[in-house]
């Protein structure tokens, strides 16, 4: 039972994390891959006004994702026992290390 709860908790956070890291094949992934508005501007020949609007959109997107992530983290912490929480933190750390290799 504890493993099921841990798995479900981790599974709930991974989609949020996936939005916070580079995606694959999505238009918004341009921004996350370090291309940002500068590269999009060149590729799409954006005007200064369009560039500014996209910067605002990407900024709002980051803020919303961060807020959702924090909300999810707090909710998950209320569900897990102390032992499960410690193991969950280890799993998240391991996942982060694997992602940066």
């Amino acid at each position: 039972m504890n493993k099921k709860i841990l798995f479900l908790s981790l599974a709930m956070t991974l989609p949020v994390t996936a939005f916070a890291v580079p995606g694959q094949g999505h238009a918004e992934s341009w921004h996350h891959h370090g291309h940002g508005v500068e590269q999009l501007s060149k590729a799409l020949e954006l005007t200064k006004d369009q560039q500014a609007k996209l910067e605002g959109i990407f900024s709002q997107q980051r803020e919303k994702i961060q807020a959702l992530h924090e909300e999810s983290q707090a909710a998950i912490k209320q569900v897990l026992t102390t032992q499960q929480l410690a193991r969950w933190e280890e799993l998240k750390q391991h996942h982060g290390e694997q992602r940066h290799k």
Side-chain angles (χ1 to χ4, degrees):
M1 180 67 174
N2 289 340
K3 288 185 180 181
K4 286 182 183 179
I5 292 172
L6 181 61
F7 175 76
L8 290 173
S9 299
L10 186 59
M12 288 173 44
T13 61
L14 290 179
V16 174
T17 306
F19 285 116
V21 297
Q24 294 183 13
H26 301 290
E28 25 327 307
S29 69
W30 269 75
H31 183 68
H32 295 295
H33 281 293
H35 299 291
V37 174
E38 292 175 17
Q39 291 295 323
L40 282 175
S41 179
K42 291 176 186 175
L44 302 176
E45 299 178 8
L46 300 176
T47 66
K48 294 285 184 193
D49 184 53
Q50 289 174 314
Q51 291 174 30
K53 288 178 180 176
L54 286 181
E55 283 289 354
I57 291 168
F58 288 139
S59 178
Q60 288 178 347
Q61 180 186 37
R62 283 189 302 272
E63 290 171 10
K64 288 178 182 179
I65 290 169
Q66 183 62 33
L68 180 60
H69 180 73
E70 290 171 5
E71 180 183 323
S72 297
Q73 298 294 309
I76 289 167
K77 288 178 181 181
Q78 293 178 357
V79 172
L80 300 179
T81 67
T82 304
Q83 289 176 325
Q84 291 169 331
L85 186 58
R87 179 66 180 134
W88 180 59
E89 294 293 339
E90 290 174 14
L91 290 171
K92 287 193 322 181
Q93 181 178 355
H94 176 73
H95 175 72
E97 292 168 358
Q98 291 299 316
R99 195 176 63 217
H100 291 10
K101 284 187 177 183

